Amino acid sequence: MSNKVAIIGAGPAGLSAAYLLGKAGISTTIFEQDKQYVGGISRTENYKGYYFDIGGHRFFSKSKEVEDFWTEILQDDLLERPRSSRIYYNHTFFEYPLVALEALKKLGLWQSFLCVASYLKAKLFPVKNPQNVEDWVSNQFGKKLYSIFFKTYTEKVWGISCKDISADWAAQRIKGLSLSSAIKNALIKPSYANKEKVIKTLIDSFRYPKKGPGMMWETCRDKCLQLGVKVKMNAEVIGLNFNDNLWQVVMKNEQFDEKFTYVLSSASIKNIVPNILPSVNKVAKEAALQLRYRDFLTVVLICKDKDSFTDNWIYIHDPSVKVGRIQNFKSWSPYMVPDESMACYGLEYFCFEGDGMWQKNNDDLIDLATNEMHQIGLLNKENVVEGYVVRQPKAYPVYDKNYKEKVQLVRDGLKPYKGLYLIGRNGMHKYNNQDHSMMTAMFAAKNIIAGKELYDVWKVNQDAEYQEEGERGVNEGGRLIPIVQN
Ligand SMILES: Cc1cc2nc3c(=O)[nH]c(=O)nc-3n(C[C@H](O)[C@H](O)[C@H](O)COP(=O)(O)OP(=O)(O)OC[C@H]3O[C@@H](n4cnc5c(N)ncnc54)[C@H](O)[C@@H]3O)c2cc1C
């Protein structure tokens, strides 16, 4: 039988693989559970002509291959947009990424003194072999700065104490930065001349599709269809059967008898791996079931525009409100809003599926978001015309203390299953951006096209680089980047 590929999920990973496979003339079918949207977490929803992301999605990558892919798909519809963002803490806005001197000035003399003193203490008496985020970041910046700029937001995002989050995650996000380098760079204006172009790009601007990230993935889907790829929507995969080296996809709503030589799965490990038949070993199954996720909802407020702020997004560290981040979609692209006199803001709340926040009815969520915008001083309540709510399960794979071991047990358990590739964010339980997701999928596709294992998809690091070492953090010109982000 010639190669036939099934792909679970029409997110960035699934569609990137499908595009390469389609170009190579390999028979490919995508199974997507959503009825309407492709793009997964990188989709763009549309309500009455207002477009919005599930969180704002910047397009940037250190990988030329990924950048070229995006250019090939969208060409002139991929805009270069100016970047501006801030942090809100203690009724004060701070530039983001943090500029050390500005931050110390706004904190006042006494708080600044405490920051510097606790930094010196951390340098003299660091926690040996830090295992969690609290110890890792405190060693790097001192406990005081950690508690102001890292702890509150990080705990809002993850819903667990920083002591229970693996130090890996912090290391991945802010490696190579320290308070001393940040202060040095604040005093001596950093020269970007010798740095990689991409780093400058990250600081000043980013690429963004005219009508949001969904436009990228809808266009990619259309190009895949032209190449003969089949895209099945409303096609939730609830299991996989593996017999005689061939795969059969078990769908929730439909029987699908076609057999495949390869399956690329970007569905969560927790949902797919325990539902493979014959079953993976008990240890791998248990490990898959123990993986955890953080969920997310965004409340979209459509407002009469008061131009009260022009940031693309603002991180809300302040514990007096529940909102974690505020997006201003018109600043991402003016094409996201159909009427110039209006604005569209997205308030992001991090939660667990089924908890109090997740269960709240939409009207209460819209009231909460309106009141919090008012409290922060970004919006007059009277200007809100309408609201809309989007819930996103499994937005974040959780890096708790044992996640690495669990993922390894799953990988070991899958070794006998020829032709199955786990790809993408939840597919590999990797806290990643689109570029990493795409790269893992593209490498799986290249292996299939070549008919041999050219690449180990697990060796793609967070920066979409293929290497065996751990991930490199992005040092944005020596400015402090709190571990917030996506
Ligand atoms: C708030 C937020 C902000 C972000 N900001 C950025 C950013 O600025 N830049 C950036 O590059 N990245 C950003 N990301 C990350 C980005 O969203 C992901 O890296 C990317 O979407 C992952 O792509 P994926 O295809 O691996 O997975 P997903 O996007 O999760 O897509 C998986 C697809 O599979 C489908 N699926 C799942 N299970 C099944 C099943 N059983 N059967 C059928 N279909 C199934 C889903 O419906 C979905 O369409 C952000 C993420 C979040 C949460």
Side-chain angles (χ1 to χ4, degrees), residues 7-15 31-34 37-43 53-60 70 217 235-239 265-268 271-272 296 325 327 332 348 350 392 394-396 423-427 430-438 440 485-486:
I7 297 179
I8 308 177
L15 284 165
F31 297 83
E32 168 54 52
Q33 66 187 6
D34 202 280
Y37 292 108
V38 297
I41 304 170
S42 307
R43 70 188 178 280
D53 304 9
I54 314 308
H57 274 66
R58 284 188 290 160
F59 282 66
F60 66 88
W70 288 331
W217 301 114
E236 184 184 353
V237 176
I238 55 167
S265 173
S266 67
S268 68
N271 285 358
I272 284 297
F296 169 97
R325 188 165 49 177
Q327 304 286 347
W332 284 83
E348 303 175 1
F350 308 101
Q392 176 61 52
K394 297 193 172 60
Y396 299 88
I423 55 167
R425 182 165 167 119
N426 287 334
K430 292 252 185 185
Y431 176 87
N432 65 10
N433 277 329
Q434 293 171 98
D435 58 343
H436 175 275
S437 276
M438 293 168 63
T440 58
Q485 310 184 0
N486 315 315

